[in-house]
Amino acid sequence: MFPGKRTHAYLIRLIILIAVLVILVACGGGATGSGSQGNAPAGGNAAVAPTTAPASGGASATTAPASGGAAATSAPASGQAASGGKLANPVTIEIFSGVQSSELAAPGPDWPITKAVKEQTNIDLKMSWITNNSEYNRLVLTRAAANDVPDLFRISTDIARDLGAQGLLADWTPYLKNMPSFVKDRDVEKLAPIGTFDGKLYALTTKNPTPFKQAVSIRKDWLDKLGLQAPKTLDEYLAVMKAFTEKDPDGNGQKDTYGWSAAVASDGRVTHFDPIFGAFGALAEPQTPWRIENNKLVFVPTTPERRDALQFIAQMNAAGVIEPDWKAQSDPDFRNKWKAGKIGIFQDDWCATYCAGNYDPFAKANATGKLVDIDPPVGPGGKSAVSQYSRVGNMYAMSQKAVQAGKGEAIARFMEWTNNEGHFLVIYGVEGDMWKRDGEKVILDQKNDYRIVRALANYGYRGAPEENRTIFDQTGTYPNGETIAVWPIVERAEKIAKLDVTDLIVLPPPPSDKAGDLNRLRYETELRFMTGQKPFSEWDAYVQALKAAGLDQWQASAEKRAKEAGLLK
């Protein structure tokens, strides 16, 4: 699973995968990709849209320089300032990127980013746009199979590990000196271990630019009507849930309100119970189900704490305080329930609850309704966390071929430009036309033509307060007379108890040939424990079944990577 010494079997699987991808592309098929950068538009086929016509004889996924600039130079730029200024010689950089939304077109030849980059850095941008973002990862692998990796592109740790081992990616380390403000503002040095394999920084890892977005919300009007205080401990939470379920808090004379609700994801994983797991120190998201304890890597889903949390949820279910459809409903169903005024306490993305447009249906359906965010419950051992949180944001890769062509310093200069001179242009567009300042935030014009210009915004966002205020500093007045200011909720969410799993992001996913069965067994069995369909006397047998399904193999690979990253001694 890691760079360096790979098994013969793994190499065979990798070769077969790449061959299949090449065949799919050659046949023009509409294969579904595994990328997570957006939803496929109607029609399902990926398209790489050139900014201008493709260069003669070139691959269909690449384009000629958007500004008609010089071809890529094979000699390093000379006379360049360490962290800024124009390159002495023009350099062409190909950036492989998804558009801002699959519903929007790619920028055209008059894209203001291209002109500004050329004028301020002497870099000619050659953009290869992915107009179906769900195909992003597949197309990256396809180009890698053809030894045609783009100069600069966003990447995941898994793909960085594999392409780095094949010698297709360059080490960013020698070029960090050319992008000092980028390195400082994006926490690159702190996060470097996550993208480092065999001592080489293949994935330039940056901090998460968006604020923490999970919260527990409660019906304040129900608390007031029943004369209750906001709960703090797990026992208090359960008592309030029972009151919301049994004492007709909406006053309609019907037994149609509940203390809590949840949902089941498409892969079978139960969601919206994170604060309960957090109270037991038993949070275990699919990507980060580990914790480090006494210099040992512990798989949280098999721990006594996880079992205790599942037992508490089973107690909630047996008491009838969980809305009865939770075992089969999706996220939209879950949200429709609280918006209809049926749920007293729930955990969700706070913007999905309180941001403009999301709170409106609740306000219309509940004339006297009022939701407020509260702290997650404190468990029997004093633990509390609303959910997991990672400080990891975007990751970027630079091809080894680009470095061999002398483009390394130019690519670093472009990254520095997105953090300095080009920062506002990249994330907002042209000032005056597409955005304007309003105190500590920016007012964006959201015309589609302007959104298209912001196609590279993910390269520019660095998590500055001004950026987040631009998106989330909003106040709404609703039909029930309630006024909701979102920014105070943002600030409280930053301070609320949460579990930081940033260091654990370095750990690998389960082995590809075991992942399906392993995850299915875990998710299905946990649901059966929660609903009382499986007795907890079978816990030990369940743990052994997980090990037999591939957990031991996953544990070994994760421990190896943890030692490489310095997490274990």
Side-chain angles (χ1 to χ4, degrees):
M1 295 293 294
F2 303 101
K5 297 182 179 179
R6 297 182 171 221
T7 64
H8 181 65
Y10 178 76
L11 284 173
I12 291 175
R13 290 198 301 271
L14 182 61
I15 292 169
I16 291 172
L17 172 63
I18 292 172
V20 169
L21 289 172
V22 171
I23 291 171
L24 284 171
V25 173
C27 294
T32 301
S34 59
S36 59
Q37 299 204 18
N39 297 320
N45 291 329
V48 181
T51 300
T52 61
S56 176
S60 61
T62 60
T63 70
S67 62
T73 176
S74 60
S78 59
Q80 179 186 1
S83 60
K86 295 183 67 171
L87 304 179
N89 301 311
V91 178
T92 297
I93 297 174
E94 183 201 1
I95 301 179
F96 192 76
S97 178
V99 295
Q100 191 173 80
S101 168
S102 294
E103 299 175 353
L104 298 175
D110 58 347
W111 192 36
I113 307 295
T114 303
K115 180 180 179 181
V117 171
K118 177 62 176 178
E119 290 178 348
Q120 297 173 18
T121 69
N122 206 14
I123 293 171
D124 293 298
L125 291 186
K126 174 183 174 182
M127 299 301 306
S128 293
W129 295 109
I130 311 305
T131 56
N132 180 354
N133 287 325
S134 67
E135 292 283 78
Y136 183 90
N137 285 346
R138 184 182 72 83
L139 292 171
V140 167
L141 291 173
T142 300
R143 291 197 53 171
N147 194 25
D148 184 32
V149 179
D151 297 335
L152 176 63
F153 58 106
R154 292 168 65 197
I155 200 168
S156 67
T157 51
D158 298 336
I159 295 178
R161 177 190 62 233
D162 292 341
L163 299 192
Q166 297 173 45
L168 297 175
L169 301 183
D171 181 6
W172 282 92
T173 306
Y175 302 99
L176 298 184
K177 64 180 182 294
N178 299 98
M179 42 198 291
S181 76
F182 186 100
V183 169
K184 178 182 177 181
D185 293 343
R186 317 288 180 102
D187 288 349
V188 168
E189 292 181 348
K190 292 180 182 178
L191 299 172
I194 293 168
T196 299
F197 301 91
D198 285 345
K200 295 182 178 180
L201 183 58
Y202 289 133
L204 183 71
T205 306
T206 63
K207 71 177 181 181
N208 189 343
T210 60
F212 178 72
K213 294 186 69 182
Q214 293 297 310
V216 178
S217 296
I218 194 167
R219 286 292 297 268
K220 177 67 165 59
D221 55 313
W222 289 5
L223 286 175
D224 293 343
K225 180 175 181 179
L226 300 178
L228 300 173
Q229 298 296 314
K232 296 181 179 179
T233 67
L234 270 176
D235 289 342
E236 291 173 358
Y237 260 73
L238 184 56
V240 171
M241 290 179 205
K242 289 180 178 179
F244 284 171
T245 303
E246 299 168 357
K247 296 186 177 181
D248 191 24
D250 63 357
N252 69 354
Q254 301 180 34
K255 188 176 175 57
D256 61 353
T257 58
Y258 300 92
W260 192 270
S261 189
V264 178
S266 59
D267 60 2
R269 176 172 49 92
V270 177
T271 58
H272 303 287
F273 279 116
D274 278 3
I276 308 301
F277 288 116
F280 288 91
L283 285 164
E285 288 298 303
Q287 298 83 5
T288 48
W290 310 96
R291 72 170 180 242
I292 295 175
E293 191 174 89
N294 298 324
N295 199 40
K296 292 183 179 179
L297 190 63
V298 177
F299 187 65
V300 175
T302 59
T303 60
E305 294 88 352
R306 186 75 175 186
R307 180 192 60 212
D308 292 346
L310 291 169
Q311 286 180 319
F312 188 86
I313 294 171
Q315 182 183 354
M316 292 168 57
N317 186 65
V321 302
I322 312 176
E323 183 267 320
D325 293 334
W326 73 272
K327 299 178 286 295
Q329 69 187 3
S330 64
D331 260 10
D333 297 324
F334 159 83
R335 287 174 177 147
N336 287 337
K337 296 291 175 60
W338 70 253
K339 290 178 181 180
K342 303 302 180 184
I343 312 302
I345 313 174
F346 59 91
Q347 174 238 333
D348 202 2
D349 178 322
W350 50 252
C351 191
T353 306
Y354 299 104
C355 283
N358 296 329
Y359 197 82
D360 192 62
F362 169 80
K364 288 179 179 177
N366 300 273
T368 61
K370 182 177 180 62
L371 284 169
V372 296
D373 55 305
I374 61 172
D375 288 338
V378 178
K383 294 181 179 178
S384 180
V386 68
S387 70
Q388 290 186 348
Y389 170 67
S390 168
R391 290 180 288 107
V392 174
N394 291 313
M395 301 179 182
Y396 306 92
M398 173 169 50
S399 73
Q400 180 62 25
K401 186 167 63 174
V403 168
Q404 290 172 345
K407 300 182 182 182
E409 290 185 10
I411 291 172
R413 173 68 185 103
F414 171 76
M415 300 299 275
E416 181 74 0
W417 179 85
T418 66
N419 205 64
N420 280 308
E421 312 101 297
H423 176 65
F424 292 109
L425 179 62
V426 169
I427 63 176
Y428 299 143
V430 179
E431 185 174 5
D433 294 334
M434 304 177 188
W435 62 278
K436 62 181 180 180
R437 296 184 183 277
D438 181 16
E440 294 182 348
K441 65 178 181 178
V442 166
I443 305 300
L444 293 179
D445 189 325
Q446 294 289 6
K447 292 178 182 177
N448 279 347
D449 287 349
Y450 297 165
R451 293 173 62 204
I452 289 171
V453 170
R454 303 174 189 131
L456 275 186
N458 281 320
Y459 277 75
Y461 281 124
R462 58 193 182 199
E466 180 185 65
E467 296 169 7
N468 288 324
R469 276 191 174 275
T470 296
I471 301 171
F472 301 116
D473 190 359
Q474 50 187 256
T475 299
T477 300
Y478 296 94
N480 61 358
E482 189 176 1
T483 297
I484 299 291
V486 176
W487 189 249
I489 299 172
V490 177
E491 294 179 317
R492 285 196 295 273
E494 290 299 301
K495 300 174 183 177
I496 204 168
K498 60 185 76 69
L499 180 63
D500 191 335
V501 294
T502 302
D503 292 343
L504 301 176
I505 298 296
V506 301
L507 302 180
S512 58
D513 59 337
K514 306 287 186 181
D517 291 340
L518 188 59
N519 289 335
R520 190 179 307 109
L521 174 61
R522 175 189 160 193
Y523 301 153
E524 290 178 356
T525 307
E526 285 198 336
L527 179 58
R528 294 182 68 195
F529 279 132
M530 293 176 187
T531 57
Q533 295 175 301
K534 192 175 187 67
F536 283 90
S537 59
E538 297 184 19
W539 180 264
D540 290 343
Y542 160 63
V543 173
Q544 293 304 313
L546 284 175
K547 291 181 177 181
L551 176 56
D552 285 343
Q553 183 179 342
W554 186 13
Q555 178 96 27
S557 65
E559 288 178 352
K560 178 182 177 183
R561 176 65 175 137
K563 291 177 181 177
E564 291 175 352
L567 298 180
L568 297 178
K569 297 179 181 178

